[in-house]
Amino acid sequence: MVPLNHYLYLSAILFTIGAVGVFTRRNALIIYMCIELMLNAVNLTFIAFSKFLNNMDGHIFAFMIMTVAAAEAAVGLAIILAIFRNRETVNVDDINLMKG
Amino acid sequence: MFYIIGGVAVLSALIMVTNKKPVSAAMSLIVTMLCLSGMYVILDAHLIAALQIIVYAGAIMVLFLFVIMLLNIQEKEGRLSGHKIFLQFAWIMLVGYVFISMVKLIGGDSLPARVEGSINGFGTTKAVGEILFTDFLLPFEIASILLLAAIVGAVILAKAKVD
């Protein structure tokens, strides 16, 4: 049986890859994919703890995260579509109407 | 088995972050999702593994590919200006610091001890459903309202303007 540490290490690595992707990529679609990757890494942590603490509440949390991810993907992609229709770009550096 | 699946997951995640083409990035993200689903099977979370394949690799990634192909993006990630590169470098440093502190936390002895014993039917649809409809009934109902709001929002946002 693989110890709990290794699952957490894998989850931390995936989360870091996702975070680096969010900060370095300019394409809004790929930034969304990186956010999905980070959510998945957190899910892995929940499931691993759920198994090792012998408590099934973690499965419910993973279920809820999946729900939120699905809602977020639907709304986010609709926003990207609307932006692309108005501005002809999905590059986040060109989308600076609010001067953020 | 864990190390094979984990290696493939990390490798395809790296391919996703470094790839120029959005379609290839989406494909490698699907590989990562499938690997994580394998992890859930190893961890006896059978329902979550099935949902991972159906919801993530099926529904969400199909939505992504659909939008990518609909938009027909010409990728032009040109060179960044000086202060932007500095800003990115600072962000990566911050993420690296967070990663190192996570690894230190995991490597320390603060993790809870393993609880022995076995729940009857751990991770099956029946067991998860029993918890979901008794202890977590209110979050379940709130999730349904969230999904309804997301559906309405997506339809309104993606609708072509009529005026």
Side-chain angles (χ1 to χ4, degrees):
Chain A
M1 187 86 193
V2 182
L4 175 60
N5 281 8
H6 293 199
Y7 288 101
L8 298 183
Y9 282 131
L10 177 68
S11 174
I13 290 168
L14 287 178
F15 189 88
T16 310
I17 291 172
V20 168
V22 168
F23 286 127
T24 54
R25 297 306 300 263
R26 303 288 91 193
N27 188 328
L29 283 164
I30 293 184
I31 290 178
Y32 261 80
M33 288 183 210
C34 291
I35 293 173
E36 297 292 335
L37 182 64
M38 289 160 79
L39 287 171
N40 266 289
V42 175
N43 256 352
L44 179 61
T45 308
F46 273 125
I47 300 288
F49 269 115
S50 176
K51 171 74 180 166
F52 281 86
L53 296 181
N54 204 15
N55 183 342
M56 281 193 41
D57 291 357
H59 290 211
I60 307 293
F61 274 94
F63 185 81
M64 292 297 165
I65 289 176
M66 274 184 193
T67 313
V68 171
E72 174 241 335
V75 174
L77 288 173
I79 290 174
I80 290 177
L81 262 181
I83 289 173
F84 188 78
R85 204 176 282 137
N86 287 326
R87 308 285 295 266
E88 296 285 315
T89 182
V90 288
N91 189 323
V92 290
D93 285 336
D94 296 340
I95 305 166
N96 54 0
L97 191 65
M98 292 177 79
K99 309 282 179 216
Chain B
M1 199 64 197
F2 168 83
Y3 297 100
I4 299 169
I5 296 178
V8 173
V10 170
L11 206 67
S12 53
L14 282 174
I15 290 172
M16 183 201 79
V17 170
T18 53
N19 211 314
K20 280 250 179 282
K21 295 200 195 84
V23 176
S24 331
M27 288 301 169
S28 14
L29 184 55
I30 291 176
V31 174
T32 311
M33 305 267 183
L34 292 177
C35 292
L36 282 173
S37 162
M39 288 287 165
Y40 299 158
V41 172
I42 293 175
L43 287 166
D44 284 342
H46 304 294
L47 174 68
I48 301 293
L51 282 179
Q52 171 87 1
I53 292 178
I54 295 169
V55 175
Y56 266 118
I60 294 182
M61 292 321 290
V62 166
L63 199 63
F64 265 102
L65 285 173
F66 191 70
V67 170
I68 289 168
M69 289 171 182
L70 201 66
L71 292 189
N72 184 26
I73 304 152
Q74 285 86 31
E75 187 72 29
K76 48 172 199 329
E77 295 211 359
R79 291 196 61 76
L80 295 168
S81 56
H83 79 282
K84 282 228 172 88
I85 287 179
F86 176 74
L87 206 63
Q88 275 194 358
F89 189 69
W91 278 118
I92 290 175
M93 282 289 130
L94 186 69
V95 171
Y97 177 71
V98 171
F99 177 66
I100 288 168
S101 37
M102 274 198 284
V103 165
K104 269 191 184 152
L105 205 62
I106 295 167
D109 48 3
S110 56
L111 286 181
R114 182 165 184 191
V115 178
E116 295 297 335
S118 63
I119 295 173
N120 203 11
F122 184 89
T124 56
T125 313
K126 187 174 178 228
V128 175
E130 266 175 16
I131 300 179
L132 192 61
F133 288 115
T134 53
D135 294 349
F136 292 91
L137 186 59
L138 182 65
F140 178 76
E141 297 293 345
I142 293 172
S144 70
I145 294 174
L146 172 77
L147 283 175
L148 179 67
I151 293 168
V152 174
V155 168
I156 287 177
L157 282 170
K159 196 178 62 178
K161 259 208 186 77
V162 185
D163 49 6

